[in-house]
């Protein structure tokens, strides 16, 4: 049966666009069932609408985190979503969401975790002075940027870099890594041992 993905975003949506392109190219054997945002004005929603994908806005002010996350889980369950992809979704998810979708939520983060979790990861890495940073696709658990790692891509930091130029190269790496990680997870061709996500031996 065709797998169904939900993409959650809060802003620009360039990772969503990369996922949608990979779906269209047949690199991800799935369809995008819905794109959800907590922000009505998120540019990523316009792109989803242009592609004819259902969009859903769930604003959060005035709602407790637990109620918000339960409502979000219910919306995705109603659409028989198999895999949830966080793509710049700038909200922490509580157990009310993470439990019903345990092992079925991915996130992309713009650093080589566990270095530089949280906000402005590219700036954190730049200011720390690391020579190599990158991006990480990981399963989401109840912590902050803390679940088992599916895939990482390294990006060197150049002497000539600014936070902006470094962020742009990390973003290119994100656009390659996220579709690859989604395809792997949807294939089911992996096992998790402790924190390690392992591919079967060829
Ligand atoms: C991406 O760089 C993503 O890694 C980051 O937000 C950006 C969203 O861009 N996510 C986080 O920092 C999560 N902690 P996009 O809207 O163009 O995909």
């Amino acid at each position: 049966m065709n797998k169904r993905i939900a993409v959650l975003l809060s802003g620009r949506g360039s990772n969503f666009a990369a996922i949608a392109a990979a779906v269209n190219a047949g690199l991800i054997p799935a369809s995008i069932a819905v794109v959800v945002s907590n922000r009505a004005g998120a540019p990523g929603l316009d792109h989803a609408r242009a592609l004819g994908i259902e969009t859903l806005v769930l604003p959060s002010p005035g709602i407790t985190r637990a109620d918000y996350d339960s409502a979000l889980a219910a919306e995705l369950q109603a659409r028989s979503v198999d895999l949830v992809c966080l793509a710049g979704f700038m909200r922490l998810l509580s157990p009310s969401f993470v439990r019903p979708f345990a092992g079925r939520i991915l996130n992309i983060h713009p650093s080589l975790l566990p270095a530089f979790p949280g906000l402005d990861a590219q700036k954190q890495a730049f200011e720390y002075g690391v020579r190599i940073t990158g991006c990480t696709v990981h399963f989401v658990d109840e912590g902050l940027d803390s679940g088992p790692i599916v895939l990482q891509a390294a990006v060197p930091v150049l002497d000539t870099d600014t936070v902006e130029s470094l962020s742009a190269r990390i973003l290119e790496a994100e656009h390659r890594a996220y579709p690859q990680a989604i395809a792997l997870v949807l294939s089911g061709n992996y096992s998790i041992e402790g924190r390690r996500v392992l591919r079967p031996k060829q």
Side-chain angles (χ1 to χ4, degrees), residues 129-160:
V130 294
R131 304 304 305 190
I132 298 175
T133 181
C135 65
T136 302
V137 182
H138 64 94
F139 285 104
V140 171
D141 61 14
E142 291 169 18
L144 172 67
D145 299 328
S146 63
I149 290 169
V150 180
L151 199 150
Q152 291 186 303
V155 174
V157 183
L158 309 177
D159 287 350
T160 50

Side-chain angles (χ1 to χ4, degrees), residues 11-16 87-88 90 107-110 118 122 145 171 174:
R12 182 176 54 187
S14 72
N15 276 289
F16 156 63
M90 294 309 191
N107 180 43
I108 186 145
H109 184 78
Q122 305 95 326
D145 299 328
L171 195 61
E174 292 183 43

Side-chain angles (χ1 to χ4, degrees), residues 165-196:
S165 65
L166 176 62
S167 301
R169 286 205 313 290
I170 294 172
L171 195 61
E172 285 173 19
E174 292 183 43
H175 296 164
R176 289 188 294 272
Y178 211 174
Q180 240 181 295
I182 292 169
L184 171 72
V185 168
L186 285 176
S187 76
N189 208 10
Y190 65 92
S191 59
I192 301 185
E193 288 177 22
R195 289 196 43 87
R196 304 181 74 212

Side-chain angles (χ1 to χ4, degrees), residues 1-5 28-32 80 82:
M1 217 180 79
N2 191 20
K3 295 279 171 70
R4 293 165 64 78
I5 299 175
I28 296 176
S31 58
I32 301 178
S80 304
D82 298 292

